[in-house]
Amino acid sequence: MNSNSDSHGLVQWHSTTIIGVRRGDVTVIAGDGQVSMGNTVMKPNAKKVRRIGEGGKVVAGFAGATADAFTLFERLEKKLEQYNGQLLRAAVEMTKDWRMDKYLRNLEALMIVADKENLLVLTGNGDVLEPEGGIAAIGSGGMYALSAARALSDYETDPETIARKAMAVAADVCVFTNNNLTVETV
């Protein structure tokens, strides 16, 4: 079994690199468009960042298994409805379900979500993390993008510029990341 296989011998699909950058009252989430199966690019223009919730006031991006991420988007949207658009409360409640529910805990994805007040990383371990310095990145190219964004943040103030340049660095280094970006601002 190669390193791109899960415990069942199936080839994993990679949906990778997402970055969130918050400066002042502006947050940008950017994601690449590449979906890979093993060492093959299956789709170069996937949209892994989208607006959710009433009026699209929340932006969310995912890295991991695509079908799992869609399930999580739906769950988070339901929690946003339940908690009147309060992202932090909805995120905490969704990650509780994600960790405890027998079906949900098998989902393999990470999310970055943001609204006007929050930038959060959500995990299946029940984590709701507020990133240090207003920069978060996930996925196979996430650490490249995070490192680039942190270096850029000393010299650049615009969150979209930081996100785009950091994603360009990740795309140059990570074979599972491309330059076909989706960028949303909140």
Side-chain angles (χ1 to χ4, degrees):
M1 190 176 337
N2 71 38
S3 62
N4 288 326
S5 298
D6 67 13
S7 61
H8 305 291
L10 302 174
V11 176
Q12 290 181 358
W13 293 75
H14 293 279
S15 297
T16 54
T17 315
I18 304 293
I19 190 164
V21 180
R22 182 175 186 84
R23 289 289 173 268
D25 62 350
V26 177
T27 301
V28 171
I29 296 181
D32 75 312
Q34 185 168 307
V35 176
S36 305
M37 186 169 87
N39 293 324
T40 304
V41 175
M42 297 301 290
K43 185 171 183 171
N45 60 349
K47 188 174 179 182
K48 297 178 266 183
V49 175
R50 62 181 50 182
R51 293 186 170 280
I52 61 172
E54 186 178 331
K57 294 178 183 175
V58 173
V59 176
F62 74 89
T66 306
D68 293 354
F70 288 132
T71 299
L72 293 170
F73 278 147
E74 289 172 10
R75 294 288 180 132
L76 183 56
E77 279 193 296
K78 287 178 185 174
K79 293 294 183 183
L80 285 166
E81 286 177 26
Q82 184 178 350
Y83 295 105
N84 299 316
Q86 297 175 41
L87 176 60
L88 186 56
R89 177 81 188 271
V92 167
E93 294 302 320
M94 189 204 67
T95 56
K96 278 186 200 175
D97 291 349
W98 190 359
R99 183 174 183 211
M100 304 297 266
D101 183 272
K102 187 181 263 189
Y103 166 73
L104 291 177
R105 75 173 144 223
N106 291 317
L107 299 181
E108 296 181 9
L110 293 169
M111 297 178 77
I112 294 179
V113 297
D115 65 6
K116 282 288 188 190
E117 292 82 35
N118 303 286
L119 173 63
L120 306 168
V121 177
L122 311 180
T123 77
N125 293 329
D127 300 317
V128 177
L129 307 168
E130 192 170 10
E132 182 180 346
I135 301 171
I138 57 176
S140 62
M143 291 305 102
Y144 303 118
L146 178 66
S147 297
R150 284 188 177 171
L152 287 164
S153 68
D154 287 341
Y155 308 100
E156 182 61 59
T157 58
D158 179 55
E160 183 171 341
T161 300
I162 294 170
R164 286 182 180 278
K165 287 181 177 182
M167 289 296 292
V169 169
D172 285 347
V173 178
C174 178
V175 297
F176 296 112
T177 304
N178 70 15
N179 281 311
N180 210 348
L181 299 182
T182 300
V183 179
E184 291 286 350
T185 303
V186 64

